[in-house]
Amino acid sequence: MLDPHLFRSDLDLVSKELARRHFAFDAVAYQALENKRKEIQVKTQQLQSERNSRSKTIGQAKAKGEDIQPLLAQIEDLGVQHKAAEGELADVLLEMSALMEGIPNILDISVPDGKSEEQNIEISRWGDVPNFTFTPKDHVDLGEKLGGMNFELGAKIASARFVVLTGKLARLQRAIIQLMLDTHTDEHDYSETYTPFLANAASLRGTGQLPKFEADLFKASEDPALYLIPTAEVPVTNIVRDVIIDAKELPLKYVCHSPCFRSEAGAYGRDVRGMIRQHQFEKVELVQIVSPETSMQAHEELTRHAEVILEKLNLPYRRMLLCAGDTGFSSAKTYDLEVWLPGQGKYREISSCSNFKDFQARRLQARWRNPESGKPELVHTLNGSGLAAGRTLIAVMENYQDEQGRIHIPQALQAYMGGMTVIE
RNA sequence: GGAGAGGUGGCUGAGCGGCCGAAAGCGGCGGUCUUGAAAACCGUUGAGGGGAAACCCUCCCAGGGUUCGAAUCCCUGCCUCUCCGCCA
């Protein structure tokens, strides 16, 4: 959620910034609602003030043993008026917060204009795209030949967009996850966490998935309302919901491996082949909770932490700065890391690293005590995939294949594979 | 699943329907003392919101209710703890 004060002090700026996102913001309608809110709130508070002072008078009169009947008669209709005003206020506040919750974050100045991913900017490239002397297969063909990657079985057990991994490929995915967790805890100073994989509505609202993106979620239970997490960002970031963090504890750095569940509503026909887009996939997520003035720096560092994994696996990748139109709802600035997939002859997203600034923190009421002011102030939150394990498995398979369809295991994973060097 | 107890500020913990946004302690901050620190002592210290301002409003787990007036009484829900049962 954005700062309501900003809307009141500089509505033009807000309109301009939201226009950059191609978000249709009706400033006139907002202003009308805001005026109504102000009028009703002031009226309600006046009535409350009146009631409070009258009641106090009654208390004092009663203490002195005076007759309070005349006083009671004077305020007969006050209660009715107050109740009506309160109801009106509740309605308008509800309307206001619904409006505010649907408005995306304001972008950082460094985010380029643009409508879609076409306008994203390539920041850097790492590694050499492999030159095969044969036509490289994609992971589906490789998996079929090797065995151990079965989409029909996934469909039989659950539905389309699920997969069953067995044997060495299942282990390879686990090895990838282990490498990521060990690297981030041992080398990047993240604290490993294990969290619930179901989250309640308050948690999902805190990180911004609700109320706007309910269709993207799997609902696991109606009462209490619980959803399968679409990313570990949700449970991990909610660790600090309604918490005032001691300045000494910042930055908080968490790494969490979890399955992620996405309904992929509206993604019909996209990436239907293979493991690129599944209802369930494994991911290692990095989350940082930092003081506001350090978040831009933290964003660069967090993105580097994700890149390190790709470099350890010697997978060619590039870093993209998302343009205004492609940056997610809650994010102020996002880098995507895209890995080279020989089977597609394309770079594909394998990590998305975002700085949310205070957008999530305001929804979460996640604060720190700023030693300079002595007051609780909103923290900044960040997260990024470090990395998506399913897509990393694909990338390893496709980049490390040979003409016989074998997969050579990257050096960094061999220890986790019991010394194995090749899957055949 | 059954029985009981409880949810109050950063933390622990008092709290009679009006004098309670809330005692006390701890912690934090400032000071006295000290070469410095500790101890001791003194002072100070909740959050959110509205209003141009004076000033006002809200918040004692959440949501309802009773009342002129609710941290306090009633109902519902959620959560925590103890005991029993079940259980990887």
Side-chain angles (χ1 to χ4, degrees):
Chain A
M1 203 164 77
L2 290 169
D3 186 356
H5 291 113
L6 188 61
F7 281 70
R8 290 176 211 152
S9 64
D10 201 344
L11 193 56
D12 281 351
L13 177 84
V14 172
S15 298
K16 217 171 282 169
E17 285 298 326
L18 292 176
R20 215 152 85 79
R21 273 195 181 262
H22 309 281
F23 178 82
F25 174 65
D26 187 345
V28 176
Y30 165 84
Q31 194 60 60
L33 185 60
E34 165 61 11
N35 291 343
K36 191 169 150 197
R37 189 224 97 232
K38 195 171 189 168
E39 182 198 331
I40 295 172
Q41 184 159 353
V42 168
K43 183 177 81 182
T44 306
Q45 292 191 356
Q46 276 169 355
L47 285 165
Q48 282 171 330
S49 176
E50 177 75 8
R51 179 205 60 191
N52 290 346
S53 62
R54 296 281 191 150
S55 290
K56 196 163 254 179
T57 312
I58 291 172
Q60 286 162 353
K62 211 173 167 183
K64 288 189 217 154
E66 294 168 6
D67 180 17
I68 60 169
Q69 280 313 314
L71 291 171
L72 287 176
Q74 274 175 32
I75 55 170
E76 215 170 301
D77 58 336
L78 196 61
V80 181
Q81 279 183 48
H82 174 234
K83 190 146 273 185
E86 239 180 4
E88 249 183 296
L89 181 62
D91 287 348
V92 75
L93 286 180
L94 207 65
E95 202 180 331
M96 196 58 145
S97 71
L99 178 73
M100 294 298 285
E101 279 195 338
I103 294 174
N105 201 357
I106 284 178
L107 299 162
D108 188 74
I109 31 165
S110 61
V111 172
D113 287 337
K115 207 170 169 64
S116 71
E117 60 183 300
E118 314 298 315
Q119 285 87 47
N120 293 346
I121 291 176
E122 183 176 311
I123 300 289
S124 60
R125 242 175 225 239
W126 186 93
D128 298 318
V129 168
N131 243 325
F132 293 101
T133 55
F134 54 95
T135 308
K137 296 183 173 67
D138 77 359
H139 66 282
V140 180
D141 291 340
L142 289 166
E144 192 172 342
K145 186 158 184 299
L146 291 166
M149 179 180 287
N150 193 325
F151 295 97
E152 287 73 26
L153 207 44
K156 176 176 123 180
I157 296 168
S159 81
R161 292 192 191 272
F162 284 93
V163 69
V164 173
L165 298 179
T166 51
K168 288 170 186 164
L169 287 183
R171 179 164 184 177
L172 185 59
Q173 177 171 261
R174 175 162 61 87
I176 285 165
I177 292 164
Q178 302 272 66
L179 171 71
M180 292 177 188
L181 285 170
D182 286 351
T183 301
H184 295 313
T185 54
D186 295 342
E187 296 170 30
H188 300 149
D189 201 29
Y190 287 79
S191 169
E192 187 167 349
T193 55
Y194 172 79
T195 71
F197 298 151
L198 298 183
N200 58 31
S203 293
L204 286 152
R205 181 167 294 111
T207 34
Q209 284 79 15
L210 287 180
K212 210 168 180 177
F213 305 104
E214 182 164 16
D216 297 338
L217 301 169
F218 283 112
K219 195 167 195 176
S221 151
E222 204 63 48
D223 186 23
L226 291 172
Y227 300 81
L228 292 168
I229 57 169
T231 159
E233 162 194 351
V234 175
V236 174
T237 311
N238 272 277
I239 290 173
V240 296
R241 172 152 55 88
D242 294 323
V243 174
I244 298 173
I245 305 156
D246 205 286
K248 290 192 286 279
E249 305 203 12
L250 295 180
L252 291 172
K253 294 166 73 178
Y254 298 110
V255 59
C256 180
H257 158 238
S258 84
C260 304
F261 302 91
R262 300 188 182 175
S263 78
E264 296 296 348
Y268 298 112
R270 286 184 67 193
D271 301 313
V272 285
R273 182 178 162 85
M275 271 183 72
I276 285 276
R277 194 176 298 277
Q278 297 274 289
H279 286 314
Q280 174 185 322
F281 61 95
E282 301 298 301
K283 182 158 60 64
V284 171
E285 183 76 359
L286 303 172
V287 173
Q288 290 199 30
I289 314 294
V290 307
S291 59
E293 74 280 5
T294 61
S295 73
M296 293 306 286
Q297 177 66 30
H299 185 219
E300 299 297 324
E301 287 168 10
L302 184 146
T303 307
R304 263 313 291 164
H305 295 153
E307 287 177 343
V308 164
I309 302 295
L310 289 163
E311 291 175 19
K312 282 195 173 193
L313 292 171
N314 202 23
L315 293 169
Y317 70 89
R318 57 180 191 174
R319 185 201 287 207
M320 306 295 288
L321 173 57
L322 299 196
C323 73
D326 205 28
T327 301
F329 180 80
S330 301
S331 176
K333 181 177 184 179
T334 299
Y335 290 122
D336 272 6
L337 301 183
E338 297 183 342
V339 70
W340 178 255
L341 290 186
Q344 298 194 355
K346 272 195 264 193
Y347 284 98
R348 292 300 306 260
E349 179 186 338
I350 196 164
S351 172
S352 190
C353 301
S354 299
N355 182 359
F356 302 93
K357 297 193 177 174
D358 62 8
F359 189 85
Q360 289 183 328
R362 187 171 292 105
R363 290 170 163 246
L364 292 159
Q365 281 304 296
R367 296 173 294 173
W368 67 305
R369 200 169 285 279
N370 184 345
E372 287 182 23
S373 66
K375 296 282 179 195
E377 295 172 13
L378 296 170
V379 296
H380 280 192
T381 62
L382 307 100
N383 68 53
S385 350
L387 311 159
R391 288 189 180 179
T392 308
L393 174 69
I394 293 173
V396 167
M397 288 172 72
E398 295 192 6
N399 281 280
Y400 282 84
Q401 64 180 296
D402 64 17
E403 195 159 10
Q404 288 80 53
R406 299 180 302 184
I407 314 293
H408 296 265
I409 296 171
Q411 186 99 52
L413 294 175
Q414 288 174 8
Y416 295 103
M417 294 294 286
M420 204 184 300
T421 58
V422 68
I423 296 175
E424 50 194 329

